[in-house]
Amino acid sequence: MSQALLSVAQRTTADGVHVVALAGDIDHTTAGTFRQALPPPDGSTPHTVVDFRNVTFMDSSGINVLVAANNAARSRGGSLRLARTPTPVLDLLRIVGLDDLIPLHPTLEDALAPPAAA
């Protein structure tokens, strides 16, 4: 059995949004890497977008990380948004009801757009 791998790329947009692009599996062996990537390196921005386009698998370990990150972002007056979530991961998010708590966007551009005024 091979060790699951998760690679992470991070950047901050000109608007100050922390973008985390993931590739690989999110499970108990990679949840720590995922968790560490979510807060912005300098702590300056409360808004994070996670690009799931290249995620091949996610289990409950990833769900736990997302719940904690969403709670942390909201406590700082920020937000967590997910972009380009593959169908198997999207199905998992829907099963556990996370799609009702964290905004899901079909494209990275949609996720980076300012929220519409209510």
Side-chain angles (χ1 to χ4, degrees):
M1 181 182 213
S2 65
Q3 174 99 9
L5 297 176
L6 179 68
S7 65
V8 177
Q10 301 178 50
R11 67 181 173 94
T12 302
T13 68
D15 295 335
V17 177
H18 179 60
V19 179
V20 179
L22 305 170
D25 295 348
I26 302 171
D27 62 17
H28 72 281
T29 64
T30 61
T33 300
F34 183 28
R35 183 178 300 105
Q36 291 172 352
L38 290 176
D42 61 3
S44 63
T45 178
H47 303 289
T48 300
V49 170
V50 182
D51 184 348
F52 274 89
R53 178 181 60 175
N54 294 313
V55 172
T56 53
F57 173 81
M58 185 170 80
D59 67 9
S60 62
S61 301
I63 296 295
N64 291 334
V65 171
L66 286 172
V67 168
N70 187 55
N71 290 341
R74 293 175 110 194
S75 74
R76 295 188 319 265
S79 64
L80 177 67
R81 300 181 203 162
L82 310 183
R84 302 194 283 194
T85 309
T87 301
V89 175
L90 186 59
D91 290 346
L92 176 62
L93 295 173
R94 287 181 174 146
I95 287 169
V96 299
L98 219 49
D99 61 323
D100 290 332
L101 299 176
I102 301 174
L104 306 174
H105 299 274
T107 69
L108 185 57
E109 293 76 22
D110 288 344
L112 290 172

